[in-house]
């Protein structure tokens, strides 16, 4: 009889222990689902080889986000963004201006790592990004198609990149960022993030016989976002 009671007691204790563990797990690992919007500024450039003299080109970026976190410190973040990239020629002392703005539709899918308190969290994002160019706009104050004949145009400077048509609208690369999230109410939060994108695709042909063997884009983004917690 005592043996039966001890076995029942052990089973009951084990059941209570498992229930307690389950309650703790549920308290700490409840999946969170957020949706949101964000926007900000971008500083972009195009890495050519052979290189050209260029400056960072300012633009804007905005989009929608979906975030799912099932673990305590790790989640998944997917976004659908529009970003302005491209480059601006650096003519140094010459009073000429040329810039080429490339607008992309972007799909980054990133690992989201977060830490901190219930009200303030730090985070890191890292993952691949797919892009498709939806806009190509050139702004110039001189006839760039006749660059060698322009009086102030430097004689030893390359000009092919200003005249070439985009041959590849698809781009892909790696993006990484870090930021802070402020939970202002139970389901509402504000994020501030700095992010860097490094493209691996070329916008111009890159065979040995072509003008450039590399023409890859990159950008630095600063964004402010709003997230609403669905679950």
């Amino acid at each position: 009889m005592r043996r039966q009671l001890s076995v029942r007691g052990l089973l009951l204790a084990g059941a209570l222990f498992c229930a307690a563990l389950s309650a703790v797990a549920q308290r700490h690992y409840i999946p969170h689902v957020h949706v949101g919007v964000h926007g900000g500024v971008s500083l972009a450039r195009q890495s050519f080889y052979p290189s050209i003299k260029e400056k960072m080109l300012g633009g804007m970026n905005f989009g929608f986000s979906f975030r799912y976190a099932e673990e305590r410190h790790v989640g998944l973040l997917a976004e659908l963004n529009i970003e302005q990239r491209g480059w601006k020629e650096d003519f140094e002392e010459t009073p000429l201006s040329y810039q080429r703005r490339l607008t992309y539709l972007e799909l980054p899918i990133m690992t989201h790592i977060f830490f901190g308190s219930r009200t303030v969290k730090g985070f890191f994002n890292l993952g691949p990004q797919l892009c498709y160019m939806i806009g190509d706009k050139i702004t110039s104050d001189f006839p760039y198609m006749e660059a060698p004949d322009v009086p102030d145009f430097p004689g030893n400077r390359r000009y092919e990149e200003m005249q070439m048509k985009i041959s590849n609208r698809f781009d892909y690369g790696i993006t990484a960022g870090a930021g802070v999230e402020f939970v202002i109410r139970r389901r509402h939060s504000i994020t501030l993030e700095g992010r860097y994108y490094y493209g691996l695709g070329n916008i111009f042909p890159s065979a040995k016989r072509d003008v450039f063997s590399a023409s890859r884009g990159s950008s630095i983004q600063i964004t402010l976002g709003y997230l609403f917690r669905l679950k």
Side-chain angles (χ1 to χ4, degrees):
M1 185 71 172
R2 290 181 178 177
R3 187 173 182 180
Q4 290 179 353
L5 288 174
S6 62
V7 170
R8 289 178 181 177
L10 288 173
L11 291 174
L12 179 60
L16 291 173
F17 180 71
C18 290
L21 284 180
S22 177
V24 171
Q26 289 179 3
R27 185 170 71 245
H28 290 291
Y29 297 102
I30 296 175
H32 288 179
V33 178
H34 290 80
V35 293
V37 294
H38 52 268
V41 296
S42 299
L43 290 174
R45 61 169 296 167
Q46 208 75 19
S47 297
F48 295 99
Y49 188 81
S51 63
I52 66 168
K53 292 183 179 180
E54 59 180 308
K55 299 178 181 179
M56 301 290 280
L57 177 64
M60 64 177 183
N61 68 81
F62 59 91
F64 304 93
S65 59
F66 173 84
R67 193 174 77 188
Y68 177 77
E70 186 172 0
E71 300 296 334
R72 187 174 182 180
H73 296 295
V74 181
L76 180 68
L77 175 64
E79 297 177 349
L80 184 63
N81 302 326
I82 291 179
E83 183 188 8
Q84 293 179 326
R85 287 195 255 143
W87 77 96
K88 184 177 182 179
E89 301 274 338
D90 183 4
F91 293 104
E92 297 179 327
E93 303 299 328
T94 306
L96 298 176
S97 175
Y98 175 98
Q99 66 180 37
R100 191 161 187 174
R101 191 177 300 281
L102 310 176
T103 303
Y104 282 89
L105 182 65
E106 302 172 337
L107 177 63
I109 301 176
M110 299 169 285
T111 299
H112 177 70
I113 301 172
F114 57 97
F115 51 90
S117 67
R118 292 184 178 181
T119 56
V120 181
K121 295 179 174 64
F123 62 83
F124 296 99
N125 296 319
L126 174 65
Q129 179 170 298
L130 299 176
C131 315
Y132 182 77
M133 189 187 304
I134 58 175
D136 174 13
K137 182 180 179 181
I138 297 174
T139 304
S140 176
D141 62 0
F142 66 96
Y144 59 89
M145 294 301 291
E146 304 170 5
D149 299 325
V150 174
D152 293 328
F153 194 84
N156 59 347
R157 184 183 177 87
R158 305 192 71 98
Y159 56 87
E160 296 92 341
E161 75 281 357
M162 293 185 282
Q163 303 173 351
M164 295 173 65
K165 292 183 178 180
I166 303 296
S167 63
N168 185 12
R169 290 184 173 268
F170 286 98
D171 189 24
Y172 61 96
I174 301 295
T175 187
V180 61
E181 178 178 348
F182 302 95
V183 181
I184 53 178
R185 293 181 64 183
R186 184 174 177 270
R187 292 181 177 271
H188 307 267
S189 58
I190 299 295
T191 62
L192 179 64
E193 182 185 5
R195 189 181 296 181
Y196 178 73
Y197 170 73
Y198 180 76
L200 300 174
N202 296 307
I203 60 173
F204 297 142
S206 56
K208 289 184 178 180
R209 65 179 182 276
D210 292 313
V211 177
F212 296 102
S213 60
S215 52
R216 303 185 181 99
S218 61
S219 68
I220 299 170
Q221 308 165 27
I222 304 295
T223 59
L224 184 67
Y226 164 76
L227 289 170
F228 177 75
R229 180 178 158 188
L230 298 176
K231 180 180 179 182

